[in-house]
Amino acid sequence: MAVSITDADAYIALNCIVIGDWMDADAASKQRMLNVAGRTLSVKYPKYTIPDTAVYEFSNVLATVFNDTNKLAQEGVTNFALTGTASFSFKDDLVRGPGADLAKLIPQSALDLISAENGGIPLSKRNVGWSVM
């Protein structure tokens, strides 16, 4: 099955909690997010079948991360104000340069969907490594 904006809209509306940025995006932006999400998941997990639902989960995260307000933080803006209306300040960890690793943004929900599609293989955002005590 191929991902589509229509299917993504329906899935995200029913299965994701914060959906405003996705629903507010225009069709071209949604298609770019679907393309980037699918490509990022395929590159990160080349041995696994990536279900459309995992792409939709990740696309919704990208919509929030790259919304108009958060884009300012990624471009290095630390704070800004609209006189008499609002003031925004950003944490340093929101600043991602042009070479940012999008794979770090993959939500655990997408990994769970990939895991289920591939026979329950364990996928986690946590890194496993050796520790010396």
Side-chain angles (χ1 to χ4, degrees):
M1 199 159 95
V3 297
S4 74
I5 294 172
T6 302
D7 291 343
D9 285 345
Y11 178 87
I12 290 169
L14 291 173
N15 296 287
C16 298
I17 296 171
V18 179
I19 65 170
D21 292 313
W22 174 265
M23 293 302 180
D24 290 345
D26 60 44
S29 294
K30 287 180 179 181
Q31 189 61 58
R32 282 191 302 275
M33 287 181 269
L34 289 169
N35 293 344
V36 170
R39 182 177 60 243
T40 302
L41 289 170
S42 294
V43 168
K44 181 74 174 172
Y45 301 102
K47 297 179 183 179
Y48 303 118
T49 300
I50 308 297
D52 294 349
T53 53
V55 176
Y56 301 153
E57 289 276 348
F58 188 25
S59 295
N60 187 45
V61 169
L62 293 177
T64 300
V65 170
F66 292 100
N67 70 21
D68 291 339
T69 303
N70 288 335
K71 279 191 277 189
L72 293 172
Q74 294 164 25
E75 293 169 359
V77 174
T78 56
N79 62 55
F80 73 95
L82 303 172
T83 306
T85 305
S87 177
F88 300 89
S89 295
F90 301 108
K91 292 182 178 180
D92 288 338
D93 62 346
L94 284 178
V95 178
R96 296 176 179 79
D101 183 6
L102 293 177
K104 291 180 181 178
L105 301 173
I106 299 171
Q108 185 62 48
S109 57
L111 298 180
D112 294 343
L113 291 165
I114 295 168
S115 176
E117 180 74 17
N118 291 276
I121 50 102
L123 291 175
S124 174
K125 291 182 64 90
R126 294 181 58 198
N127 291 331
V128 178
W130 290 96
S131 175
V132 178
M133 299 190 84

